Amino acid sequence: MKAIKTIKAFIIAFICMFLGLGLVACKDSTETKIDAPVIELNDNVVSWDQVPTATGYEVTVGLDTVDIQETSYTINITEEGSYEVSVVAYTMDEGTKVRSESSNKVVYTYSKPKTYKLDAPVIVKNGNNVDWAFIEHASSYEVSINGTVEEMVMVNTYEFDKTEVGTYKVTVVALSTDPTYTKSDSSNE
């Protein structure tokens, strides 16, 4: 009976020793657990709240991933299409990057802004003036004489003051400060 108690005690001690070594050898996984960010998209900016213990973030837009330390990222894409966006938070633990699960996913869609060409002015010679109708969405007009830009004007008339005898070809191009509108073709001569 004494031998059985000794064997039981030895077995219990042996089990406790292995459990103790196992606990010492195993690292507490909660030390390096990191929460996944929750992202939102406004226009072309994806943002999220700071993740506690995170030292950086991997932002993935489509197939491209960038590594940043900020809690927002401006998407600069020039090719039309829809792009899935996600963020992974990470921290460094003994030289190893420990990553969170991926954030929720959002979709960024880019389409090139539509542009419209301004109507070309139709000029009329009126004495020493060249006149044209105002062009909708134009903010100024570029007046050229014989192919050389002479002046930028904000009105729809140009006083022609050349006194040398000769032939002068005057053209006008409508311009806009609104990026939705591109410059017009040249006017008639």
Side-chain angles (χ1 to χ4, degrees):
M1 191 61 125
K2 196 174 188 182
I4 293 177
K5 282 186 181 180
T6 304
I7 293 174
K8 278 185 179 179
F10 180 73
I11 291 173
I12 291 172
F14 189 72
I15 291 172
C16 288
M17 183 177 78
F18 275 114
L19 287 175
L21 286 174
L23 290 175
V24 170
C26 292
K27 188 170 189 171
D28 183 3
S29 63
T30 59
E31 287 180 35
T32 56
K33 182 169 174 30
I34 187 165
D35 294 329
V38 176
I39 63 174
E40 62 181 45
L41 182 65
N42 291 312
D43 294 324
N44 67 329
V45 177
V46 62
S47 61
W48 56 94
D49 290 335
Q50 174 73 37
V51 174
T53 73
T55 57
Y57 302 92
E58 295 172 343
V59 180
T60 302
V61 179
L63 300 175
D64 297 323
T65 300
V66 294
D67 196 325
I68 65 171
Q69 278 68 50
E70 298 81 22
T71 56
S72 67
Y73 179 74
T74 302
I75 301 169
N76 292 314
I77 290 184
T78 57
E79 189 172 321
E80 289 186 331
S82 292
Y83 301 85
E84 190 173 84
V85 181
S86 63
V87 176
V88 171
Y90 68 84
T91 189
M92 298 304 289
D93 186 19
E94 296 180 13
T96 302
K97 195 181 262 190
V98 178
R99 291 175 174 85
S100 71
E101 294 291 321
S102 182
S103 68
N104 57 306
K105 294 182 180 6
V106 295
V107 176
Y108 172 71
T109 302
Y110 175 76
S111 56
K112 292 182 180 177
K114 292 188 184 268
T115 57
Y116 304 94
K117 184 180 272 194
L118 293 170
D119 292 333
V122 176
I123 60 173
V124 176
K125 187 169 189 294
N126 186 10
N128 283 347
N129 288 339
V130 176
D131 301 319
W132 58 92
F134 279 109
I135 303 297
E136 187 176 9
H137 303 290
S139 54
S140 61
Y141 302 92
E142 179 182 88
V143 179
S144 297
I145 299 177
N146 294 337
T148 302
V149 175
E150 290 289 319
E151 192 171 345
M152 298 286 285
V153 297
M154 308 290 272
V155 294
N156 63 328
T157 189
Y158 176 74
E159 186 175 347
F160 187 78
D161 61 359
K162 297 288 184 195
T163 56
E164 291 180 28
V165 175
T167 302
Y168 298 97
K169 293 182 181 182
V170 178
T171 57
V172 177
V173 172
L175 305 171
S176 180
T177 55
D178 183 341
T180 306
Y181 297 93
T182 60
K183 73 180 188 174
S184 73
D185 290 332
S186 292
S187 67
N188 58 314
E189 296 178 353

